[in-house]
Amino acid sequence: MIHELKPTLRRRSLLKGMGAAALATPFTSRLALAEDYNLRGYVQSTWRPAFEELVPRFLEANPGSRMRLNYASTDQLHTTARVQLSSGTAADVLSVWAGSGNPMGCQVLAEAGYLADLSGEPYSQNIPDAFRPAMSFQDSVYYYAPIVSMIGLYVNNEVRDEFGIEQPKTWSEFMAVCEKVKQAGKVPVSLGTGTGFITQLIPYALVATLVYGRDPSFPDKMQSGEATFAGSDGWVEAMEKYVEMLEKGYFNDNPNGTAVEEQLQMVATGEAAMTIVVSSQNASIFRFAGHQNFTVWPLPGSDDPEETNIPANPSAGFGVNANAEDVEGAKAFLQFLASPEIDTELSRIQALPSLNQVSATDRDPIFAEMLAKIDEGKSVPYMDTRWPNVRVQQTLFSGVQELLGGQASVNDMLSRMDEAYQSS
Amino acid sequence: MSSDSAAHVEVTFAKLGSNSKRLLSAGVSWGFVLPAIAVYGFVIVYPMIAGTGFAFTDWDGLSNDRSFVGLENFRRLASDPQARASISTTLVMAGSLLVAKIVIGLLLALALNTQIRTRNFLRMIFFMPVVLTPVIMSFVWRYIFSSNGALNQLLEAAGLGNWEQQWLGDPGWALFCVIFVTSWSQVGLAMVIFLAGLQKVPEELIEAAKIDGAGPVRRLWSVILPMLAPAMTVNVVIALITGLKFFDQIYVLTAGGPGYATETMSTIIYKTSFQFGEFGYGSSIALVFAIIVATIVYSATYLLKKREIEHV
């Protein structure tokens, strides 16, 4: 969907007014700072509400500039943006993801030479250390991520109060909560593995503690061939715990036939007490619920509460096409988005914590427990950011569906992930 | 053009020799055809040739570097269990769609070729799925088949709660649901083609068969079906081509899942090329797919055409 934004003050009227404006010092100084950009953006449709509110402000600050925005779903964007990049027709500003496990991952695009180096930009100096590697390629930063993305245990506060649920600090406590809710006749955890990306969230949340928290060098060991998924006790344990939840009836019926929208609706309406989901789904949960009365807790992976780590990543953000017609304009646009005032606005509109303000004190209480984990250094990047290709993640999606459907064993699916990992 | 100048052109044309006339006429024909050929070449032929070339490379669809890898992609395809499974799923889907379209489409056409008063309304109803946007229609069906969807609710309300299924979550049912939705969306087209064929069947031929004592089944088998041979050929060819290349309905309903249960060659080609960034390997699957489709469709057309010649 294409959406063209123009400034209220057109270039012609601006030029006409320049003679008169030259007499007014404050106005001329503003003109001297403002630039005349002609930009094209191709971004994920989830950013549309924020861009519709904020882009006109960028254009106001840069009279005479134009910005033509094209919004697309993630799938569509992954397909078409790559074709546009390779054929030299890509937009100036593009949606870009962290790491290398995504078709539009910053490392995939930077390695092919399609992204401009943003290391010198002011916002690149403020990136928290935990997130910098996923946004970099060969020590240079290649995209701007406005917000932080986390995977946690969402609890509907009304249900929490009704059942007296307290934050589970260990896996056993979590299972006890699930049992309590189940006995009361409610779905403990809603799950919609009919939608591909949902399949990975529980494994990611568990291996953050069981694998990557215990051994931060695990991705390096995978890379050197010292470690494998099937040979990792933590990965095996995580998948066994996933199956255990299914076998104990802690999910809704038929998770493979349930889509993400149903999963979110179940927890939003209180039909389910909890769900394990990525924070980018916040807006949908709040919209379905009609309120923001939720809490997000870290999902414990083991019985040692000190061990609990959470998966946290820079969100999808924006990169600059290295071959863009207006690279400087695109960089100026990202600088505008990253300015403290606009960054806060973005965070408000997306209902997520800003990446640059992870350590801020006026935090959204919904995420307090999650952000505390990041402060403590107990967060690990999403696993796919260090995988060598996209096939591994897609194999995980299909593998989980087969695992939950009883068509594959834990060993089958992890071995297939190893094959996919080694296929690069 | 005035009548004088038109007459002048006619006189001038008449004065030309037969060779010149042929050349002029051929030039005019080519003038009409060339733009279409240019567009066809640019949109179809060139990508096909380029795609065939990519099938022998390791191109990732993004970088400028690509290396010739010979038959490596085809060797990989031969040992790729998911790709091979997708070939059999594709054939099952295409075969099921073919049977559903021909049988149901023919029955509907026969039923609506009678004099019932609501025939035009019913024809419109049965044809409607054909004109609906496949993606939107598939989203609606996805909700119908979901765990708390209309179908399970209906079964529960009818006291048939034990018939409720994981329609899209169970591998067997998911394939059935995809076949059902694709058939539902295509049967109307078969019906219309058969209807057009039925309206060409001479009434006197059927009357003659009746006088000779042929019952309804005998008339259908020995008179109507042979006369429907051209419509049958068109329907079979369309059903095979659409059945083999279905993508949007599958992608919306199941995205190839659960697991790999509804993965077809089209979805595998899309995922391999665009999601996994293995454009060379994706192109090799597409090339094999194109050869399979061409072989099946050509064979079917050849056999059915022979049948037409025998009976028409």
Side-chain angles (χ1 to χ4, degrees):
Chain A
M1 187 168 289
I2 295 171
H3 186 66
E4 188 159 3
L5 292 165
K6 295 172 188 168
T8 46
L9 185 60
R10 300 298 186 102
R11 189 178 311 189
R12 190 177 295 171
S13 55
L14 178 73
L15 290 172
K16 279 180 186 170
M18 277 181 74
L23 300 171
T25 310
F27 190 50
T28 47
S29 65
R30 183 171 165 227
L31 275 178
L33 289 171
E35 295 289 343
D36 190 1
Y37 302 122
N38 189 0
L39 295 173
R40 285 187 303 135
Y42 189 29
V43 298
Q44 217 184 346
S45 46
T46 49
W47 294 99
R48 185 169 188 157
F51 272 38
E52 284 187 343
E53 198 172 320
L54 301 175
V55 171
R57 287 162 70 173
F58 171 72
L59 297 175
E60 264 174 44
N62 296 280
S65 297
R66 292 162 69 99
M67 187 148 193
R68 192 165 177 264
L69 286 162
N70 199 339
Y71 299 100
S73 67
T74 306
D75 262 2
Q76 192 187 354
L77 205 140
H78 283 174
T79 313
T80 47
R82 282 172 66 99
V83 174
Q84 289 167 352
L85 282 166
S86 61
S87 59
T89 57
D92 309 70
V93 176
L94 294 161
S95 270
V96 173
W97 278 257
S100 57
N102 181 302
M104 288 293 284
C106 68
Q107 289 161 1
V108 175
L109 301 181
E111 187 176 13
Y114 288 116
L115 290 182
D117 186 347
L118 303 177
S119 303
E121 299 298 304
Y123 49 82
S124 298
Q125 320 311 317
N126 305 330
I127 300 170
D129 290 343
F131 299 138
R132 186 172 288 273
M135 301 171 70
S136 308
F137 176 69
Q138 294 179 345
D139 296 328
S140 296
V141 175
Y142 280 95
Y143 87 104
Y144 159 65
I147 51 185
V148 61
S149 172
M150 298 168 284
I151 299 169
L153 181 65
Y154 278 66
V155 189
N156 185 329
N157 289 350
E158 288 167 13
V159 181
R160 180 196 64 187
D161 297 341
E162 183 188 339
F163 288 92
I165 298 171
E166 290 184 6
Q167 182 185 352
K169 296 286 176 84
T170 63
W171 174 255
S172 299
E173 285 177 19
F174 172 62
M175 295 300 269
V177 168
C178 290
E179 186 60 34
K180 185 177 174 181
V181 174
K182 185 188 165 194
Q183 292 304 325
K186 205 177 263 293
V187 174
V189 178
S190 64
L191 182 66
T193 47
T195 302
F197 80 89
I198 291 291
T199 58
Q200 68 190 324
L201 303 180
I202 292 178
Y204 277 21
L206 293 174
V207 296
T209 299
L210 297 172
V211 180
Y212 299 81
R214 287 176 181 170
D215 181 7
S217 65
F218 186 79
D220 299 319
K221 288 180 180 167
M222 286 283 301
Q223 234 164 11
S224 65
E226 275 178 74
T228 59
F229 293 113
S232 158
D233 292 343
W235 267 98
V236 171
E237 189 182 341
M239 300 317 299
E240 283 173 351
K241 283 179 166 163
Y242 207 164
V243 175
E244 185 188 352
M245 287 181 73
L246 178 80
E247 287 173 349
K248 287 189 169 170
Y250 293 162
F251 298 133
N252 45 285
D253 289 341
N254 185 16
N256 275 349
T258 305
V260 58
E261 295 84 1
E262 281 179 88
Q263 171 183 345
L264 303 182
Q265 267 171 347
M266 287 173 85
V267 77
T269 56
E271 188 182 339
M274 301 172 281
T275 196
I276 296 158
V277 80
V278 62
S279 51
S280 58
Q281 300 301 314
N282 263 14
S284 301
I285 295 178
F286 297 163
R287 192 175 68 244
F288 290 137
H291 61 82
Q292 300 192 6
N293 197 13
F294 289 86
T295 306
V296 188
W297 290 324
L299 178 71
S302 73
D303 279 343
D304 178 0
E306 293 304 311
E307 249 194 341
T308 303
N309 268 262
I310 62 160
N313 230 37
S315 68
F318 312 102
V320 173
N321 175 6
N323 305 313
E325 285 176 19
D326 194 353
V327 172
E328 289 314 309
K331 284 184 175 177
F333 178 65
L334 297 197
Q335 274 188 25
F336 164 82
L337 290 181
S339 62
E341 183 195 349
I342 302 300
D343 188 78
T344 308
E345 282 293 291
L346 263 175
S347 166
R348 178 188 60 77
I349 297 166
Q350 299 297 113
L352 286 166
S354 157
L355 185 90
N356 293 329
Q357 295 168 10
V358 160
S359 305
T361 47
D362 55 338
R363 292 171 165 181
D364 188 335
I366 291 172
F367 293 104
E369 293 291 334
M370 301 292 284
L371 294 173
K373 282 285 173 196
I374 296 176
D375 289 347
E376 292 166 24
K378 292 201 167 164
S379 72
V380 296
Y382 290 174
M383 292 69 217
D384 54 275
T385 58
R386 292 289 305 274
W387 290 343
N389 59 52
V390 188
R391 196 176 271 276
V392 185
Q393 193 182 37
Q394 295 291 327
T395 308
L396 172 64
F397 291 179
S398 305
V400 168
Q401 287 180 338
E402 288 190 319
L403 187 69
L404 299 183
Q407 289 98 43
S409 67
V410 168
N411 188 54
D412 289 340
M413 71 156 289
L414 292 178
S415 300
R416 278 211 293 265
M417 284 173 66
D418 282 321
E419 280 170 31
Y421 188 98
Q422 286 148 13
S423 69
S424 286
Chain B
M1 192 184 282
S2 69
S3 57
D4 282 353
S5 55
H8 177 71
V9 169
E10 263 177 45
V11 170
T12 312
F13 190 74
K15 282 180 183 169
L16 289 172
S18 62
N19 281 344
S20 306
K21 279 182 188 171
R22 257 201 308 275
L23 278 174
L24 186 65
S25 160
V28 170
S29 305
W30 277 108
F32 282 113
V33 170
L34 273 177
I37 288 179
V39 172
Y40 183 78
F42 182 67
V43 177
I44 306 285
V45 179
Y46 173 70
M48 267 174 62
I49 295 168
T52 304
F54 294 146
F56 298 91
T57 70
D58 62 355
W59 190 39
D60 64 2
L62 190 65
S63 64
N64 293 322
D65 303 326
R66 70 190 73 139
S67 312
F68 179 75
V69 294
L71 296 174
E72 183 51 41
N73 288 331
F74 297 95
R75 279 192 210 104
R76 186 176 161 191
L77 174 59
S79 60
D80 184 341
Q82 281 131 34
R84 278 182 308 177
S86 77
I87 296 176
S88 56
T89 308
T90 307
L91 295 177
V92 167
M93 278 198 59
S96 309
L97 180 72
L98 175 67
V99 172
K101 268 188 84 164
I102 299 301
V103 174
I104 303 172
L106 181 61
L107 290 176
L108 285 175
L110 289 169
L112 298 179
N113 196 40
T114 54
Q115 295 304 311
I116 55 169
R117 292 178 64 184
T118 52
R119 63 183 184 281
N120 286 335
F121 175 73
L122 289 172
R123 284 173 188 175
M124 185 193 75
I125 291 290
F126 288 118
F127 187 70
M128 200 179 281
V130 179
V131 296
L132 293 178
T133 311
V135 172
I136 295 170
M137 173 203 81
S138 305
F139 271 112
V140 172
W141 277 108
R142 201 177 81 179
Y143 281 104
I144 291 172
F145 287 133
S146 63
S147 20
N148 294 322
L151 183 55
N152 277 345
Q153 284 182 19
L154 198 68
L155 288 170
E156 196 178 349
L160 299 168
N162 54 343
W163 286 19
E164 286 181 35
Q165 294 293 337
Q166 302 189 20
W167 300 108
L168 297 176
D170 177 275
W173 280 113
L175 185 60
F176 171 80
C177 291
V178 169
I179 291 170
F180 172 80
V181 172
T182 48
S183 304
W184 172 82
S185 69
Q186 290 291 313
V187 157
L189 181 63
M191 176 196 76
V192 166
I193 294 168
F194 279 131
L195 268 175
L198 281 172
Q199 283 164 14
K200 278 188 174 176
V201 178
E203 197 59 37
E204 56 271 28
L205 210 60
I206 296 171
E207 288 300 321
K210 272 187 194 169
I211 291 164
D212 286 347
V217 175
R218 170 58 66 191
R219 289 200 300 274
L220 173 67
W221 193 253
S222 302
V223 180
I224 297 172
L225 282 183
M227 295 297 289
L228 279 180
M232 186 70 80
T233 305
V234 173
N235 264 328
V236 168
V237 170
I238 293 176
L240 281 173
I241 293 173
T242 48
L244 289 166
K245 73 178 181 62
F246 259 123
F247 176 78
D248 23 16
Q249 285 95 333
I250 301 169
Y251 204 73
V252 172
L253 283 169
T254 62
Y260 301 98
T262 55
E263 207 79 84
T264 63
M265 291 194 82
S266 300
T267 59
I268 283 274
I269 290 166
Y270 171 77
K271 288 180 180 177
T272 306
S273 303
F274 296 107
Q275 290 189 339
F276 304 161
E278 298 175 24
F279 219 88
Y281 182 44
S283 299
S284 70
I285 304 175
L287 186 59
V288 170
F289 183 42
I291 292 168
I292 291 174
V293 174
T295 308
I296 291 174
V297 172
Y298 179 79
S299 307
T301 313
Y302 176 75
L303 291 172
L304 289 164
K305 280 279 178 194
K306 263 180 76 176
R307 194 167 169 273
E308 276 178 40
I309 292 161
E310 283 167 12
H311 291 282
V312 173

